[in-house]
Amino acid sequence: MAETKREIERKYDVGADAELPDLSGVAGVADVVDKGVVELDAVYWDTPDQRLAAASITLRRRTGGDDAGWHLKLPVSLAEGVRDEVRAPLSGAVPRALLSLVRSRVREAELVPVVRLLSARNLRHLVDADGALLAEVSIDGVRAERLTGGDATAAWSEVEVELADDGDPALLDKVEKKLTKAGVRRSAAASKLGRALAETAPKKERGPKKAAPEGAVRRGKKAGKREAVADAVRETVGEGPGTAADHVLAYLRAQRDAIVSLDPAVRRDLPDSVHQMRVATRRMRSAFKTYRKILDRTVTDPVGDELQWLAGELGVDRDQEVLTQRLTARIDALPRTLLLGPVRGRLRIWTVARRTGSRRRTVAVLDGKRYLALLDTVDALLAAPPLRAAATAAPSDALPKALLKDYARLATRVERALEQPSGTARDLAMHDARKAAKRARYAGEAATPALGKPAKRFAKRMKSVQTVLGDHQDSVVAREALRALAIQAHLAGESAFTWGLLYGQEEASGAARERELPGVWARASRGKVRAALRDGTSD
């Protein structure tokens, strides 16, 4: 059974014979307790091309000390030395619980031992006046042995300061100030593994290599032309992001990286992780559609279809969570005199029934071959993008055209929605407009690094439209749920009054959003936005 510990630590370079300064004078530290020397033996595992190390992830099997076992460290904030350490008991093979958390990085590659670290840890505990642990401080004498790609060795000493559980991060600053006065400096290496890999690497090797994952990207008849365009882009750009394609591809890579890095968070059921991963899939798919003059849609459309599938699978649990929160808030706002029957209990039963198995289903999707194939395909597409002729255009030329096309698409759908009479037809038309608004917003966000304030303001205005349309759609979904709850309550012999009352509130909310839309759209669609995007100026 794996457990997780939030680790906040800092490392410092010292000489082999270094001694710690007296830390008992650090504010809040009452005593420094010598815990003796602990011998640690850790073997670090990775793919042969070091995919985990490239992502600042470490996986080790360690004996010695009071936490012997398998440890997987996932970065939270490398700059602040914050990582989540997921632990599993000692075993011969990598535990399945940890394997699943690195699957989006490892894919089908083999995990092998890459480095062995033997450490003599001279450990001290910093405690407060009550004897409670504040932090662990140690001087580690480390010997690294390369296990894959050579047999080189390296040795060094370092000071490690690790905050106790629920400790105050300000203590680390106070300890560092004391160490700095003693001539100790922060280590340039973020981890022992990173230093070991660097110092035992073959001379010609500059660092961990990122393998190009295999993936089937269909080339078709236009492959030769696309390759020529790609060559032209590389020749024109060199190392700088100078073309429309560079900006679009940078945005797509950011979404790919978000999906991959959020995978373990979703598996660990961390707050908002499913939502963020779903947003990344939608942004990527939206960019494929918006920038089809830059990327060949015969290649990107099938990938977009798979991204739509993944977003749908991720949305099962998320949509139910949002709906439950909305209905709960409605119930909480009602006077107790209007809560007739077991309203809260009925909602709880309904929610549990709809969410049963959704968590298992999400993890099963991430473990499935279809998901891994999608990740490989996206990697291959970004490694050899299916560029069209417009890819070499200047961002100030190609990107505004794409944004304005999405804007025109949204305008058509908003006008169509406003023309419909209230009812199902308008509900459907407003939902279509909502999807168009989201696409326009994402397009503006993707173009902001290239176009600056005009694109940022465009995205903000499109978001305002999306918000109104989104809340309207939420009211439509809530009404459907409330009708189902009212029927269940009636069939169970309960009063359906409260459910009918809530239905009326949601109906009023939807009508309010319909009345609000014309004004919001008028403000968001002022002509200056279009002129600013065309001219590259702010309005």
Side-chain angles (χ1 to χ4, degrees):
M1 186 68 178
E3 60 174 326
T4 301
K5 176 181 180 295
R6 176 60 56 88
E7 175 186 87
I8 305 177
E9 66 177 20
R10 296 180 186 177
K11 298 180 184 294
Y12 304 85
D13 293 331
V14 294
D17 300 324
E19 294 186 2
L20 284 174
D22 182 11
L23 299 176
S24 60
V26 173
V29 176
D31 195 10
V32 179
V33 182
D34 191 338
K35 305 299 289 186
V37 177
V38 181
E39 299 292 336
L40 304 174
D41 186 345
V43 175
Y44 288 77
W45 292 61
D46 205 337
T47 60
D49 54 3
Q50 298 173 23
R51 299 181 191 180
L52 298 184
S56 300
I57 295 172
T58 62
L59 173 63
R60 73 186 178 202
R61 182 186 187 275
R62 190 169 79 179
T63 56
D66 58 4
D67 63 346
W70 285 92
H71 304 155
L72 173 66
K73 296 191 178 187
L74 301 167
V76 176
S77 173
L78 292 177
E80 300 297 327
V82 183
R83 295 186 292 183
D84 278 347
E85 183 176 277
V86 186
R87 299 175 177 177
L90 277 176
S91 61
V94 181
R96 291 182 62 184
L98 302 189
L99 274 176
S100 68
L101 295 179
V102 298
R103 197 157 188 249
S104 64
R105 304 282 185 186
V106 174
R107 316 280 170 87
E108 300 296 341
E110 180 186 12
L111 283 172
V112 296
V114 292
V115 167
R116 183 184 187 190
L117 296 183
L118 301 171
S119 303
R121 170 162 290 179
N122 194 336
L123 182 63
R124 293 166 176 80
H125 282 183
L126 306 185
V127 299
D128 63 15
D130 297 324
L133 180 64
L134 300 174
E136 290 186 349
V137 182
S138 65
I139 298 181
D140 296 346
V142 185
R143 175 180 170 81
E145 302 173 356
R146 190 85 170 202
L147 303 178
T148 301
D151 57 359
T153 62
W156 69 89
S157 295
E158 66 181 36
V159 170
E160 183 174 295
V161 184
E162 181 176 347
L163 199 65
D165 294 345
D166 300 321
D168 182 2
L171 176 65
L172 296 180
D173 294 330
K174 297 173 184 177
V175 172
E176 181 164 300
K177 185 176 181 180
K178 193 79 170 181
L179 293 174
T180 300
K181 285 184 177 180
V184 178
R185 296 292 180 266
R186 189 88 73 94
S187 175
S191 66
K192 286 184 175 66
L193 175 62
R195 182 166 183 172
L197 289 173
E199 296 192 11
T200 64
K203 293 182 179 180
K204 294 183 179 181
E205 187 176 311
R206 298 184 179 180
K209 297 179 180 178
K210 292 185 179 180
E214 297 180 359
V217 177
R218 187 163 56 87
R219 297 298 176 189
K221 296 181 180 180
K222 298 181 180 179
K225 183 177 180 180
R226 287 200 300 268
E227 289 300 325
V229 171
D231 290 340
V233 169
R234 284 189 284 269
E235 291 176 4
T236 301
V237 177
E239 297 183 358
T243 68
D246 288 309
H247 288 279
V248 173
L249 291 173
Y251 181 79
L252 291 172
R253 291 189 188 100
Q255 307 318 312
R256 184 271 313 275
D257 293 347
I259 293 171
V260 172
S261 63
L262 284 165
D263 178 293
V266 171
R267 294 174 185 271
R268 294 165 60 201
D269 201 21
L270 296 186
D272 207 39
S273 58
V274 171
H275 172 63
Q276 293 300 326
M277 189 175 185
R278 189 185 187 192
V279 167
T281 64
R282 286 175 164 175
R283 283 176 170 157
M284 179 176 285
R285 180 170 177 260
S286 180
F288 285 155
K289 291 180 175 295
T290 295
Y291 299 110
R292 59 183 58 183
K293 294 291 186 180
I294 295 171
L295 297 172
D296 189 343
R297 65 176 299 180
T298 63
V299 176
T300 60
D301 278 359
V303 182
D305 290 342
E306 288 300 281
L307 289 168
Q308 184 180 29
W309 159 77
L310 177 58
E313 293 291 346
L314 293 171
V316 173
D317 197 27
R318 171 64 181 175
D319 289 345
Q320 183 60 38
E321 179 184 5
V322 171
L323 177 57
T324 300
Q325 290 174 348
R326 186 180 181 98
L327 297 184
T328 300
R330 288 284 188 196
I331 292 172
D332 290 344
L334 286 179
R336 294 183 62 182
T337 54
L338 298 180
L339 296 177
L340 305 186
V343 176
R344 297 185 191 278
R346 171 61 56 190
L347 177 61
R348 185 163 50 250
I349 292 171
W350 179 80
T351 299
V352 170
R354 289 171 64 91
R355 293 193 66 178
T356 298
S358 62
R359 168 84 186 140
R360 291 193 299 271
R361 177 175 174 176
T362 298
V363 174
V365 167
L366 299 184
D367 283 337
K369 292 184 177 180
R370 184 175 180 179
Y371 168 67
L372 291 186
L374 171 58
L375 295 182
D376 284 344
T377 300
V378 169
D379 282 345
L381 185 150
L382 294 175
L387 302 177
R388 299 185 65 192
T392 58
S396 58
D397 180 35
L399 301 190
K401 291 179 181 178
L403 266 63
L404 290 173
K405 189 169 183 178
D406 277 354
Y407 170 83
R409 178 171 173 268
L410 171 59
T412 299
R413 294 197 179 188
V414 170
E415 292 169 5
R416 184 182 303 147
L418 294 176
E419 291 172 354
Q420 302 297 323
S422 294
T424 302
R426 175 173 281 192
D427 291 344
L428 293 174
M430 291 186 72
H431 184 43
D432 286 342
R434 176 200 182 195
K435 291 185 285 187
K438 185 180 296 186
R439 176 166 152 183
R441 170 196 166 190
Y442 289 161
E445 292 172 348
T448 295
L451 304 182
K453 187 180 291 186
K456 183 178 181 179
R457 188 164 297 180
F458 174 84
K460 183 178 180 180
R461 292 187 175 188
M462 297 306 100
K463 183 179 180 180
S464 68
V465 179
Q466 177 194 333
T467 298
V468 173
L469 292 167
D471 193 59
H472 179 272
Q473 176 62 18
D474 288 347
S475 77
V476 172
V477 173
R479 276 176 266 163
E480 294 174 354
L482 289 167
R483 184 176 183 277
L485 283 162
I487 292 173
Q488 290 181 11
H490 176 74
L491 293 177
E494 302 164 5
S495 171
F497 170 82
T498 301
W499 303 115
L501 178 62
L502 295 176
Y503 186 99
Q505 289 183 348
E506 288 293 354
E507 195 170 46
S509 175
R513 300 292 82 75
E514 291 178 20
R515 292 192 299 271
E516 187 179 355
L517 178 59
V520 172
W521 174 243
R523 290 189 295 273
S525 60
R526 291 201 298 265
K528 289 184 179 180
V529 173
R530 287 170 285 184
L533 288 174
R534 283 195 298 267
D535 301 338
T537 60
S538 60
D539 61 330

